[in-house]
């Protein structure tokens, strides 16, 4: 009796099992669907803050603000905050020269701000900022995933180059980046806005031309 019941169940469920296997097989063979990448256009006043997920916000965070955009490039302010000090850097990133920095202004805490003019036309910094702009032009729309940053879910496009990884998101202004890892140091988005960002520089900078008198602390930032 038990054997007959098992055979009867087998005859009933076999067609259903075959249908189920066909559906699963079709899903496994279906190509991955791409996700469109339509980043937010750059505009004056956009801003974004990033944090290190292992460090409290008040101990360290970094904010980027677009002060101006024109046909030649982007005026970008980068503000580094810790409990003890702040560092404000304004750079003009030249679009036609792979976002290289033409000029930059630096202010440490509320000390005198200085604007440096390079004699050769532009600086080459050991900085990831130009890469964030350039790499976004080479996104593979098939290579996307979903990640969580600051308790929010983002669909992101991953680009990994050597030891650096960037997760681009169309929801976030300035760089369109939700998370970035450079030299094993990771930053993830905290807050952002599409307008209202302003400079934190507290006075007009003194104009300097780089040369032999450039302070060593700045010279170390610039590649020879």
């Amino acid at each position: 009796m038990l054997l007959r019941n098992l055979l009867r169940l087998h005859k009933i469920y076999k067609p259903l099992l075959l249908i189920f296997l066909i559906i699963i097989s079709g899903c496994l063979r279906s190509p991955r669907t791409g996700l469109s990448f339509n980043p937010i256009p750059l505009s004056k006043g956009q801003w974004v803050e990033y944090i290190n997920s292992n460090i409290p916000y008040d101990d360290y965070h970094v904010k980027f603000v677009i002060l101006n955009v024109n046909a030649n490039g982007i005026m970008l302010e980068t503000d580094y905050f810790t409990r003890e000090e702040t560092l404000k850097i304004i750079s003009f990133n030249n679009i036609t020269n792979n976002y290289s920095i033409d000029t930059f202004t630096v202010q440490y805490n509320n000390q005198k701000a200085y604007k440096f003019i390079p004699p050769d036309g532009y600086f080459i910094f050991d900085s990831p900022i130009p890469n964030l702009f350039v790499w976004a032009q080479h996104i593979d729309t098939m290579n996307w995933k979903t990640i969580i940053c600051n308790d929010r879910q983002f669909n992101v496009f991953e680009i990994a180059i050597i030891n650096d990884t960037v997760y681009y998101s169309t929801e976030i202004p300035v760089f369109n980046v939700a998370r970035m890892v450079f030299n094993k140091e990771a930053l993830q988005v905290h807050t952002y806005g599409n307008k209202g960002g302003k400079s934190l520089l507290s006075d007009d900078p003194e104009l300097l031309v780089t040369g032999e008198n450039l302070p060593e602390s700045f010279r170390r930032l610039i590649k020879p």
Side-chain angles (χ1 to χ4, degrees):
M1 178 66 70
L2 178 60
L3 180 58
R4 283 200 300 271
N5 288 336
L6 289 175
L7 290 173
R8 188 179 298 113
L9 288 173
H10 176 71
K11 290 179 180 179
I12 293 172
Y13 286 107
K14 184 177 180 180
L16 296 177
L17 178 61
L18 288 174
I19 293 171
F20 177 75
L21 290 175
I22 290 171
I23 293 172
I24 292 297
S25 176
C27 292
L28 293 176
R29 287 198 301 266
S30 296
R32 179 175 173 82
T33 302
L35 193 67
S36 63
F37 180 69
N38 298 309
I40 301 171
L42 297 169
S43 63
K44 180 179 178 180
Q46 290 179 342
W47 61 275
V48 59
E49 277 188 328
Y50 293 94
I51 60 171
N52 184 319
S53 57
N54 297 319
I55 301 175
Y57 175 86
D58 290 336
D59 287 347
Y60 175 78
H61 62 277
V62 57
K63 182 177 182 179
F64 298 92
V65 180
I66 295 180
L67 302 180
N68 197 19
V69 179
N70 59 39
N72 297 317
I74 301 163
M75 186 72 73
L76 181 73
E77 179 167 327
T78 307
D79 301 312
Y80 298 92
F81 300 90
T82 70
R83 290 183 184 275
E84 295 79 20
E85 59 190 23
T86 62
L87 179 64
K88 297 176 278 289
I89 302 173
I90 296 178
S91 58
F92 184 79
N93 301 269
N94 192 304
I95 293 175
T96 59
N97 197 20
N98 289 328
Y99 297 90
S100 295
I101 296 173
D102 288 355
T103 63
F104 75 102
T105 300
V106 177
Q107 184 175 43
Y108 179 73
N109 290 335
N110 289 319
Q111 297 178 9
K112 183 68 180 178
Y114 293 96
K115 182 176 182 179
F116 294 88
I117 306 296
D120 298 326
Y122 62 90
F123 294 99
I124 300 176
F125 276 94
D126 186 14
S127 167
I129 288 176
N131 292 338
L132 293 176
F133 287 118
V134 173
W135 291 347
Q137 302 169 20
H138 304 282
I139 283 176
D140 178 4
T141 56
M142 301 296 290
N143 185 24
W144 66 275
K145 64 174 67 174
T146 299
I147 64 174
I148 303 295
C149 292
N150 196 30
D151 298 324
R152 288 195 57 182
Q153 180 174 296
F154 297 94
N155 291 330
V156 297
F157 303 85
E158 179 180 351
I159 287 187
I161 300 178
I162 309 177
N163 295 323
D164 302 333
T165 305
V166 181
Y167 300 91
Y168 289 92
S169 170
T170 57
E171 297 181 46
I172 301 170
V174 185
F175 305 117
N176 305 121
V177 171
R179 192 169 189 269
M180 60 183 100
V181 182
F182 289 100
N183 297 320
K184 299 181 180 180
E185 294 293 329
L187 292 176
Q188 68 177 26
V189 68
H190 181 65
T191 54
Y192 54 89
N194 209 35
K195 59 182 180 180
K198 297 180 180 180
S199 174
L200 296 180
L201 214 66
S202 59
D203 62 5
D204 293 330
E206 181 175 325
L207 188 64
L208 294 177
V209 177
T210 58
E212 294 299 324
N213 295 325
L214 184 68
E216 180 62 27
S217 58
F218 293 112
R219 189 179 291 115
R220 287 197 301 266
L221 296 174
I222 303 173
K223 293 181 179 179

